[in-house]
Amino acid sequence: VQNTIILADYYTDRGRLATAMFMMIAASDIGSAVAELGRGPITLICLTNEDAVFPTVFPMAFTLVGLSSYSCSILYSTLLTVVKTINITNPFYRINTKAIHISWVVLSLLLVIVIVADGTLMYQYLTEELLSPCQISWRTTIELTSIGDGILHKLWSLNAISLKVYRFIALIRSKECLIPSVIIFLCMVIQMAYIKESLSGSDNPELTTANHVNLTIFLVSMLYFICIGSFGIIEICRATVGSTITMYWVFLTLRYTMPLLNAAIFPVIIILRKPSLRQKYKQRVVRAVCYLTRCFLC
């Protein structure tokens, strides 16, 4: 709901690069929420009745939506952080916005294509084992957690790669979260130095507005660093030292908690940092509470 409010409020100003990226992140976070809204009831059904019957394609579809959304969200946040760091360090440098738009469209398509291939291969593998719908749901949740899982599993099942190659590829894939988190961390350090210097200087209203936007993006970057970095560290540990039961459950917990935590806190930062949006949000909350109160009293 909060990300939908951001999309509606920022739509009129979508021509600006930072605004467009905020909207793309919000749209990706909506996708993550939709995936969990679909996956949650299926999990509850399977917990209460392991023999429940439902279309087996549903858990796979929701998993693919969630994985695609979170991967695109990481991509957009990394691009946003890098672009704004360039703007902060060199305000007079003209960024090629057309190239940025093309790059995020191409990279998003590549991510979605690979993830759909993962899901297709994994679904074929699971259906060939004649598993029940709930078993397919559990296996999908456990085995399809990162980009390339389905393709890597297919290569392993065909004996096309050795165990050493399998672990090496798994280690490389773990960088999908570690590399963005390192990039974001370095950009945060640079941003923090420049923002601290600029905040102690001028009373220029335009500079004050720019600093407000920069600080907002810094907070968003910090959120992504925490969410992405924790998941990346666990993935590195799993790929290098092997997966114990404890580490495996910590990994799964982070994998399905951090995207939702990120999707929930991101709009809170944007709403609190923009006065006009904050006022609209308060009005909507008050109207919603009044409506629910009238319905309850009736």
Side-chain angles (χ1 to χ4, degrees):
V1 171
Q2 293 181 131
N3 281 293
T4 303
I5 292 174
I6 291 176
L7 286 177
D9 185 78
Y10 277 32
Y11 182 77
T12 54
D13 199 23
R14 61 190 181 279
R16 297 177 58 191
L17 183 60
T19 302
M21 287 188 172
F22 279 144
M23 292 179 65
M24 297 298 287
I25 293 172
S28 299
D29 289 344
I30 290 174
S32 297
V34 169
E36 296 308 318
L37 286 173
R39 192 156 43 195
I42 292 176
T43 302
L44 291 176
I45 290 171
C46 291
L47 284 172
T48 55
N49 180 15
E50 294 184 358
D51 298 322
V53 177
F54 52 83
T56 56
V57 73
F58 281 179
M60 180 61 70
F62 288 124
T63 298
L64 293 182
V65 170
L67 187 57
S68 299
S69 299
Y70 190 47
S71 300
C72 288
S73 183
I74 293 173
L75 170 64
Y76 303 145
S77 64
T78 305
L79 284 174
L80 175 64
T81 303
V82 171
V83 168
K84 291 308 294 181
T85 302
I86 294 173
N87 282 338
I88 291 172
T89 56
N90 191 357
F92 299 104
Y93 178 76
R94 290 181 61 85
I95 293 177
N96 190 334
T97 56
K98 184 178 180 180
I100 296 295
H101 282 85
I102 293 174
S103 64
W104 87 38
V105 170
V106 172
L107 291 173
S108 300
L109 288 175
L110 289 175
L111 283 174
V112 172
I113 289 171
V114 172
I115 291 170
V116 170
D118 280 335
T120 302
L121 293 173
M122 185 68 72
Y123 185 71
Q124 290 175 351
Y125 165 73
L126 294 176
T127 52
E128 286 172 359
E129 291 192 3
L130 301 178
L131 301 174
S132 69
C134 285
Q135 288 174 325
I136 290 179
S137 177
W138 295 127
R139 292 281 294 274
T140 300
T141 300
I142 293 172
E143 297 182 22
L144 190 59
T145 57
S146 302
I147 300 173
D149 276 339
I151 296 173
L152 188 59
H153 192 282
K154 183 66 175 180
L155 293 174
W156 174 256
S157 65
L158 295 174
N159 295 321
I161 54 176
S162 64
L163 179 59
K164 289 184 178 180
V165 174
Y166 179 89
R167 286 184 174 177
F168 177 75
I169 296 175
L171 178 61
I172 296 299
R173 285 191 311 109
S174 65
K175 302 295 191 299
E176 72 184 67
C177 287
L178 187 63
I179 291 176
S181 63
V182 170
I183 293 173
I184 289 174
F185 176 75
L186 293 176
C187 290
M188 283 170 54
V189 173
I190 297 172
Q191 288 178 16
M192 191 162 47
Y194 276 82
I195 290 173
K196 182 179 179 181
E197 180 181 350
S198 61
L199 286 176
S200 60
S202 171
D203 294 330
N204 187 336
E206 292 185 1
L207 185 59
T208 302
T209 302
N211 288 333
H212 184 84
V213 174
N214 293 336
L215 185 57
T216 301
I217 293 175
F218 176 80
L219 294 173
V220 172
S221 301
M222 182 182 295
L223 170 65
Y224 272 86
F225 173 72
I226 294 171
C227 293
I228 299 170
S230 58
F231 178 62
I233 290 171
I234 293 297
E235 183 68 6
I236 287 287
C237 294
R238 290 182 65 225
T240 53
V241 303
S243 181
T244 63
I245 295 297
T246 301
M247 187 182 295
Y248 190 70
W249 285 112
V250 170
F251 164 76
L252 284 179
T253 302
L254 291 176
R255 177 65 189 84
Y256 292 104
T257 302
M258 288 304 177
L260 289 180
L261 180 65
N262 178 80
I265 298 179
F266 168 75
V268 173
I269 293 175
I270 301 300
I271 290 171
L272 292 178
R273 294 290 298 170
K274 187 176 181 182
S276 60
L277 183 56
R278 186 167 64 246
Q279 185 62 31
K280 290 179 182 179
Y281 186 72
K282 288 180 180 178
Q283 293 173 355
R284 289 189 176 100
V285 170
V286 170
R287 285 200 298 266
V289 170
C290 293
Y291 175 78
L292 292 174
T293 302
R294 288 198 300 270
C295 292
F296 178 77
L297 294 176
C298 292

